């Protein structure tokens, strides 16, 4: 158990270099399997999920190294088709290995991915898409056994929900399939664009990534490449919310500002002054925030569900009422109990949370329930009078590299035990 001991009530000031994106690096690492050669991936954040991905790749026969945010993956001998139960369940996004392993080796044996704190996370869309591409799937014996005979075949897939993971899985599977795959109602998140750019730099033929229709013309082989993962838009939003909530002034560098367009207006709503350049965002907060208004989570380019807890924590110290509606995951308010323990006034009714801003939060001991909820509790602790202890069984290090160091550099007082 990790504990973050936070002495609150310090405004954050200064500059920060942003980490690489967790949600882009995970599918890109899986994609290295398809190349059958050596890839060098820079700007890979040092996170437990990234390390688990590298463990999965090693277990499949890749030679891997990971130092100073650069992962080198040689998949020349990656003929493994099976992922160990423990590795599979340790990371929800391990399901993207289904498309990658099948594309590489025409067979894959996986257990169901890790349980999730955000409510049920079905994988039916992943399985039905892979079936449509010609794989036989037996998921009746507690694990998922897939075989694709002599390979997968391109086809048209209409996703009933614009699922990020399913879109990535199809792109991975289709890159080496026979013929053309068309994904309709594809997810449009920037991480999909990064995966497609990586694969295209390996020789894949993918067009339309970031749009509603993605077209993948399968190729016979891919080759290794050198690539830099895009910056983490959710980590950027986290530090900006922390600065806003504490009445601070920070600049986040090495960001792709356009990726944050869906959230930026809400900092302005709260009364923050924003200076937005192509690769940096500066936020200057008033002493007391105004309410953000109404935030409804949606698929990109809508407001990201992963930023909902961050803005909710920030709103809990604003002067007025804000309303949140969560439309992507149905159990995404579990962290709210922790904020209320710090003195916030938040009530939840199904998918809606009503946040009545309070003057002051007070330090207390709180438990992390999930990754972004954990970041919300840290934001709460940064605003609270006295000491807050955030107890975490490992969620925060899944997504944030050096969060306490980064916040301390900006003037926070956090000790990690
Ligand atoms: C990814 C992100 C996660 C983010 C989410 C939504 C990674 C590693 N994780 O998760 O941080 O919160 O996108 O932006 O990139 N669904 C089904 N059946 C399926 C697949 C999904 O019903 O087979 C539903 C889910 O339950 C959810 C919705 O579709 O309600 C969206 O999920 P999805 O976009 O797939 O999220 P992930 O890819 O798991």
């Amino acid at each position: 158990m990790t504990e973050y001991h936070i002495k609150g009530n310090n405004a954050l000031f200064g500059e920060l270099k942003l980490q690489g994106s967790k949600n882009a690096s995970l599918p890109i690492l899986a994609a290295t399997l398809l190349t059958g050669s050596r890839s060098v991936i820079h700007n890979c954040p040092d996170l437990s999920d990234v390390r688990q991905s590298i463990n999965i790749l090693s277990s499949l026969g890749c030679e891997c190294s990971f130092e100073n945010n650069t992962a080198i993956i040689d998949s020349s001998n990656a003929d493994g088709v099976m992922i160990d139960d423990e590795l599979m369940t340790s990371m929800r996004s391990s399901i993207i290995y289904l498309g990658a392993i099948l594309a590489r080796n025409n067979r894959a044996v996986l257990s169901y991915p890790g349980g999730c704190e955000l409510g049920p996370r079905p994988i039916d869309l992943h399985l039905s898409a892979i079936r449509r591409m010609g794989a036989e799937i037996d998921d009746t014996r507690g694990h998922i056994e897939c075989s694709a005979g002599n390979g997968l075949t391109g086809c048209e897939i209409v996703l009933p929900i614009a699922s990020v993971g399913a879109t990535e899985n199809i792109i991975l599977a289709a890159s080496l399939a026979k013929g053309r795959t068309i994904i309709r109602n594809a997810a449009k998140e920037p991480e999909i664009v990064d995966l497609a750019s990586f694969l295209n730099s390996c020789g894949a033929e993918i067009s339309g990534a970031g749009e509603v229709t993605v077209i993948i013309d399968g190729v016979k082989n891919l080759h290794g490449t050198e690539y830099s993962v895009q910056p983490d838009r959710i980590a950027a939003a986290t530090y900006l919310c922390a600065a806003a909530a504490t009445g601070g002034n920070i600049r986040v560098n090495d960001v792709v500002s356009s990726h944050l367009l869906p959230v930026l207006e809400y900092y302005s709503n709260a009364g923050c002054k924003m200076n937005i350049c192509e690769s940096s965002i500066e936020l200057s907060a008033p002493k007391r925030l105004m309410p953000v208004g109404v935030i409804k989570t949606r698929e990109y380019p809508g407001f990201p569900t992963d930023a909902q807890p961050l803005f909710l924590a920030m709103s809990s110290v604003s002067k007025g009422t804000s309303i949140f509606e969560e439309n992507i995951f149905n159990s995404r308010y579990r962290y709210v109990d922790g904020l209320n323990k710090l003195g916030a006034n938040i009530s939840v009714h199904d998918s809606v949370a009503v946040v009545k801003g309070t003057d002051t939060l007070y330090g207390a001991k709180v438990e992390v329930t999930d990754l972004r909820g954990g970041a919300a509790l840290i934001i709460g602790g940064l605003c609270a009078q006295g000491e807050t202890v955030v107890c975490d069984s490992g969620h925060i290090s899944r997504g944030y590299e050096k969060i306490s160091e980064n916040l301390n550099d900006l003037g926070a007082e956090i000790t990690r035990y």
Side-chain angles (χ1 to χ4, degrees), residues 22-23 26 92-93 118 120-126 161-166 168 189 305-306 328-329 332:
K22 167 175 97 72
N23 287 354
L26 299 178
R92 149 84 199 170
S93 52
L118 309 180
R121 300 215 22 197
I123 54 168
D124 55 314
L125 304 178
H126 301 246
I161 301 173
S163 154
V164 174
E168 291 168 346
E189 270 70 0
T305 173
D306 288 353
I328 309 293
F329 293 113
R332 201 152 198 177

Side-chain angles (χ1 to χ4, degrees), residues 20-242:
S21 162
K22 167 175 97 72
N23 287 354
S25 50
L26 299 178
I28 288 174
L29 284 168
T32 62
L33 261 187
L34 271 55
T35 66
S37 57
R38 183 173 176 274
S39 295
V40 180
I41 319 287
H42 299 292
N43 206 31
C44 228
D46 193 348
L47 306 171
S48 53
D49 270 11
V50 165
R51 290 196 172 266
Q52 283 298 31
S53 284
I54 291 175
N55 290 338
I56 290 177
L57 289 166
S58 301
S59 79
L60 294 169
C62 295
E63 275 181 34
C64 307
S65 73
F66 183 40
E67 262 176 68
N68 299 325
N69 297 114
T70 295
I72 303 179
I73 314 291
D74 186 341
S75 63
S76 308
N77 299 314
D79 47 15
V81 295
M82 194 163 178
I83 301 181
D84 184 79
D85 272 11
E86 205 180 306
L87 283 173
M88 196 65 201
T89 50
S90 65
M91 193 175 69
R92 149 84 199 170
S93 52
S94 51
I95 190 64
I96 44 171
Y97 281 88
L98 176 63
I101 298 176
L102 259 187
R104 169 70 196 260
N105 292 322
N106 294 338
R107 192 166 175 274
V109 184
L110 314 177
S111 54
Y112 280 87
C116 176
E117 319 79 31
L118 309 180
R121 300 215 22 197
I123 54 168
D124 55 314
L125 304 178
H126 301 246
L127 298 185
S128 63
I130 299 289
R131 270 198 182 103
R132 269 188 63 72
M133 297 181 73
E136 280 181 23
I137 304 183
D138 179 356
D139 57 350
T140 57
R141 284 178 290 175
H143 57 270
I144 310 162
E145 231 178 297
C146 308
S147 62
N150 292 326
L152 296 164
T153 308
C155 63
E156 181 166 340
I157 296 164
V158 183
L159 287 174
I161 301 173
S163 154
V164 174
T167 302
E168 291 168 346
N169 232 334
I170 300 167
I171 290 176
L172 288 164
S175 290
L176 290 177
K178 288 182 209 95
R180 172 170 280 198
T181 301
I182 302 175
I183 312 175
R184 301 210 186 271
N185 194 31
K188 301 194 278 288
E189 270 70 0
E191 294 76 20
I192 306 276
V193 179
D194 217 22
L195 171 64
S197 306
F198 169 78
L199 282 165
N200 283 342
S201 81
C202 298
E205 289 185 17
I206 303 166
S207 59
E211 294 164 30
V212 70
T213 303
V214 180
I215 298 177
I216 307 115
D217 285 313
V219 295
K220 282 217 160 71
N221 296 298
L222 296 174
H223 52 77
T225 193
E226 190 160 352
Y227 193 81
S228 193
V229 173
Q230 70 184 23
D232 195 312
R233 62 194 171 105
I234 303 299
T238 305
Y239 292 111
L240 291 169
C241 284

Side-chain angles (χ1 to χ4, degrees), residues 326-393:
E326 173 55 50
N327 296 305
I328 309 293
F329 293 113
N330 58 11
S331 293
R332 201 152 198 177
Y333 289 124
R334 287 174 59 212
Y335 67 92
V336 158
D337 286 348
L339 286 176
N340 281 340
K341 208 169 161 190
L342 298 179
N345 183 348
I346 306 159
S347 50
V348 174
H349 317 273
D350 300 325
S351 63
V352 174
V354 178
V355 186
K356 293 189 177 143
T358 52
D359 268 348
T360 319
L361 299 179
Y362 299 93
K365 191 168 186 174
V366 289
E367 299 272 343
V368 174
T369 54
D370 64 277
L371 166 59
R372 305 302 168 186
L377 295 180
I378 288 193
I379 293 172
L382 290 170
C383 307
Q385 271 181 27
E387 185 173 88
T388 299
V389 178
V390 176
C391 305
D392 180 22
S393 62

Side-chain angles (χ1 to χ4, degrees), residues 308-322:
Q308 173 258 99
L310 317 170
F311 278 79
L312 196 149
M314 174 181 126
S315 304
S316 67
V317 289
S318 72
K319 198 176 173 183
T321 300
S322 302

